[in-house]
Each structure stands twice: as structure tokens, then as C-alpha cells.
Amino acid sequence: MPIELTEKEQIWEKALAEIEMSISKPNFLTWFQNTSIAQENNDVIVINVPNTFVKEWLSNKYHKLIIQVLRGLYPSIRNVEYIICAQSVNSQRAAAPRYKNFSIGAEEQPELENIHIDRVANLNPRYTFDNFIVGSFNELAHAAAQAVTKNLGSSYNPLFIYGGTGLGKTHLLQAIGNKIRQDNPNAKVQYLTSEKFANEYVAAMQNNAIPSFKEKYRQHELLIIDDVQFFSAKFKFQEEFFHIFNALYEKNKQIIFSSDRSPKTIPELEERLRSRFEGGMLANIQPPEYEARKAILQSKAAQREFIVPEEIIEYIAHNVQSNVRELEGALQSVFAHSKLLKKIPSLLEIKDVLQENIKSRKKTTIVHLIKTVAEFYNISEKEIFEQTRKKQIVFPRQIAMYLLREDFNTSYPYIGEKFGGKDHTTVIHAYEKIVNGLKTNEKIKEDVRQIRELLYTKEV
Ligand code: ADP
Ligand code: MG
């Protein structure tokens, strides 16, 4: 039986109410907040979504749930489709009364810092899977982390997560530990940084307490070591650690590592330890792309029950590009400022406030990007512009075009012009080649990550 048009709005409202009950709040806010119903035609429901990122997620991850809920309410519904509609961002749901707005006044927001750190396991409960936002940039690492919680010691051992600073490695590692402790409060879990681990080892050595140090670590069911790039060049320690690792590994105890670079690119690392690092599951986290940055900002604002105007979210997402920590910092400045003003600041005011955040990143010009890419691949800046099909020139050129498009939002025709009057379809081809390469080719991923690090995080 067809549904009355007047019911249209209600269909989705009812469905949302049910969906909200069956998934976590951050997920609900991230993926469903700005959706609305577009059409209902021949028992097919079309949902407005704000961007491709949300579209992908609803159709890949939540499609089943959405269909199930809708059919529960209206058995005649056969299918659901999603279309991108920029307006839906400003739909009435964003202004739904359940969210407080900036005129929050004297009411304090709970501080993010949590004091209840589990001293033995060294876990901070603020880092959970529930408030970890997943997108294509970190999807693999997230899936691997979840798999580990379900099959400790047997699915991916060791799990090695790597990626640039501020991209959520510590958050994910801690979320695993927290989940294991939540399922089994007696589980022997410990999180520590590689430096802390090394320091403890040295102290044990000085106190002639190595046997008890080793014994302690052999008891662990889950050992999490963050930032293992600091093992670099500490050869004596690497040797000892190798044995501790083996002892745990042989007993099927789970070991998890993070690093700001892949095992292959950690300098001065003993070969046998490197091969241990690589012997399980390697998962890379990339910097989030524009749509993901927007989703992160929206979700983080929603978690704190603030409505941030779309244009401010977009402004931050465009200008703060390097990592999640910086996005959080920018949002924090907006919150602080709003509280001070007791109103939603205008975009102009925000631009002023964020000057600091944005300036503090190295001001990267296009010229600097070209120079960095050329240097990275050991070719001259002149060569990158040469009309040639030589592979050692074409590939860096494609990388430069990709970064210009992705990070600088430069138009295809403009990029074509810069590179000696190339047709914009050539630029699109280059861009897509790298986009696809990033999905399948570890080397390309690592190159792009390292170039971005040179561009955005190193001091001038
Ligand atoms: P890293 O260890 O890679 O340097 P962190 O785990 O310390 O990065 O993350 C930096 C900040 O960003 C933390 O406050 C963390 O909670 C937040 N963060 C990073 N990734 C995510 C994510 N996917 N979802 C939610 N918050 C994130
Ligand atoms: Mg960290």
C-alpha cells in the first residue's frame, strides 16, 4: 500500500527514533544527524545525505539496519537509496531542541580529561571505540583493532598500527585495552609507551631485577606498546625486547604496537625485530580527507552538544588539514570563544580566532609543495615540469598533482596550466591514478604520508 505523501516526513522521523536506540550516540550523530527524506516512490525511500562520505557509510554499514527498521514500520517498503543534498545539512534536525546551542552560558561542559586512569593497566577510559570515528582513512586499523578484541592472541598477532602524529593511534590502542578490561576486569593488560618500557627495563637492570621484570611481562595477556619508533638505535634494548616478545608470542599472548612510520622505515632497527613487527597485521592510518574532517568536527561538536554552524565546520575542515588533534584544537578554540561571547560567533570572528591555529601550521605554498615533492624523489624542480614520459619524472608529477588537488583544493584546469598547459583530463587521470594507488599500494601510501609530514609538521 503506498504511503500518503503527508506522512513522508514522519516516516524518517520514526525510523530515526528507532535507529538512535540501536547504535551508539556518537555514531548516530555522525551518520544520521543531517539526513532527511527526499522522496518516497514506488515503495523506494530516498534519503538526503550531506556528502559522499555519509552516503558511503550509510549504504555500506547501516543499510541493513535502515531497511530493517523501515520495514518494521512500513512493511511495503522495498528499498532505500541515498542521494547527496547539500541542503540537508541545514535540515531541521540540526536544530532539533535536544541539542543545546552556543548560548549555554554559565553551564560548564564536562572536561574531556579524565582522572580515573586505571593505574595498573595504564588505561584512560576516555579512549573508547564508542567515541572513535571511523572513515576510509582509518577503517582498516579500526577493523583490525576490533578483530583483536574478539580474538585475543589469535587473529592478528602482533597488530602493528602506524601513521602520522595526531591521527588516533593512541586512542585506538587504548580503546582495545579498555574493551578487554571491560569484558574481563581481571585480564592482565598493560599499555605503555616504548620509552616507558625502555626506562623500566634500564631501572630493572640497575637494580639487578631483570628476572622479575621479564617475569612480570610474561604474565600479560595483552601488552600494548605505543610509539615503537623510539626503539630506533637502542640495540641492546631491542635484543632484550626481542626475547620478551618471543616469550609472549609463543604463549599466544596478544601484542600490539604503534609507530609513526612503518616498520620498514624505522631506522636502526634490528632486522629480526623488524620482521617480528611485520609478522602479524600491519595497518596504516592516513590523514583524514576533507569529508572525513567535516564528519569528525560534526561528531566532536555533537558529542559536546554544541551546534556549530555549517560554514564554520567547513572553514575549519578546509584549513586544518593535518590531523585529528589539530581539528580538536580548532574546535576547542571555537567553543572557548563562544562561551566567552555567549553567542554563536560569526565566520568572520572565527577566522580571527583560528588565525593562530592555522598560522601555527607551516604556511605551505604551492611552490613549497613542488620543491618538497621534487626533493623527496631526488629530482630537480625543473624536471618535474618537463614534457617527458620518463617514469621517474611522471610519478612524482602525479603525486604533486594529487596533493595540489587534495590538500590545496586547486582546480584541475589550474593544475594543468601550472604543469605546462596540460589538459585538465590529464590532471584528473593523474589524480585518480594516485587515489587508486593509495588503496592498493603500500609504497604510494607511505610516500604520500611522508611528503605530507615534511609539508605540514616539520618546522620551517
Ligand atoms: P596519535 O597517537 O596518533 O598521535 P591520538 O590517539 O593521541 O593520536 O589522537 C589525537 C586526538 O585526536 C585525541 O584526542 C583522540 O581522541 C582524537 N582522535 C584521533 N582519531 C580519532 C577518531 N578517529 N575519532 C575520534 N577522535 C579521534
Ligand atoms: Mg600517540
Side-chain angles (χ1 to χ4, degrees), residues 80-292:
V80 180
E81 287 166 9
Y82 310 91
I83 57 163
I84 297 162
C85 164
Q87 255 84 52
S88 75
V89 165
N90 302 319
S91 77
Q92 69 277 38
R93 287 200 70 77
R98 75 177 101 167
Y99 306 121
K100 295 176 206 142
N101 65 22
F102 277 122
S103 59
I104 190 160
E107 197 182 329
E108 284 296 319
Q109 282 297 305
E111 271 308 308
L112 275 183
E113 270 317 304
N114 211 310
I115 28 166
H116 308 292
I117 292 178
D118 179 335
R119 292 273 163 227
V120 182
N122 198 20
L123 293 169
N124 184 336
R126 128 172 156 74
Y127 297 116
T128 63
F129 279 112
D130 263 359
N131 60 16
F132 189 79
I133 302 150
V134 187
S136 48
F137 68 106
N138 62 8
E139 188 174 15
L140 178 66
H142 174 260
Q146 290 226 305
V148 161
T149 63
K150 289 178 188 124
N151 273 309
L152 214 55
S154 54
S155 53
Y156 300 126
N157 205 13
L159 169 62
F160 192 105
I161 293 177
Y162 68 98
T165 177
L167 292 178
K169 301 181 299 293
T170 297
H171 189 139
L172 205 48
L173 260 51
Q174 289 251 341
I176 299 173
N178 279 318
K179 176 76 174 86
I180 296 297
R181 290 280 280 204
Q182 184 192 332
D183 292 349
N184 174 10
N186 297 321
K188 285 212 170 61
V189 174
Q190 195 175 3
Y191 162 94
L192 68 179
T193 62
S194 64
E195 280 178 312
K196 176 114 194 304
F197 193 75
N199 291 346
E200 240 185 70
Y201 176 79
V202 173
M205 218 160 55
Q206 283 163 354
N207 297 327
N208 292 323
I210 291 292
S212 63
F213 173 85
K214 283 185 176 162
E215 192 46 36
K216 175 180 149 193
Y217 282 99
R218 282 174 198 202
Q219 303 290 326
H220 285 69
E221 282 152 72
L222 168 58
L223 178 62
I224 305 171
I225 305 198
D226 208 351
D227 291 321
V228 293
Q229 71 272 11
F230 294 121
F231 279 176
S232 167
K234 300 183 175 110
F235 288 110
K236 177 80 183 102
F237 175 69
Q238 286 177 23
E239 188 186 324
E240 292 295 344
F241 180 73
F242 179 75
H243 296 299
I244 293 173
F245 176 93
N246 285 345
L248 286 169
Y249 183 77
E250 276 156 22
K251 286 197 281 176
N252 287 329
K253 302 299 170 69
Q254 180 73 48
I255 306 143
I256 304 176
F257 300 111
S258 88
S259 160
D260 70 352
R261 66 203 74 179
S262 71
K264 258 195 195 55
T265 50
I266 299 178
E268 302 192 68
L269 187 66
E270 242 194 274
E271 209 40 52
R272 57 183 185 169
L273 193 52
R274 191 190 310 278
S275 83
R276 285 292 188 270
F277 285 163
E278 287 175 338
M281 172 75 179
L282 281 178
N284 179 221
I285 306 184
Q286 289 278 321
E289 291 175 359
Y290 175 71
E291 292 298 347

Side-chain angles (χ1 to χ4, degrees), residues 422-438:
K422 290 207 173 345
D423 189 70
H424 75 278
T425 53
T426 312
V427 184
I428 294 176
H429 173 75
Y431 174 77
E432 283 173 353
K433 191 139 183 249
I434 302 302
V435 168
N436 290 329
L438 286 170

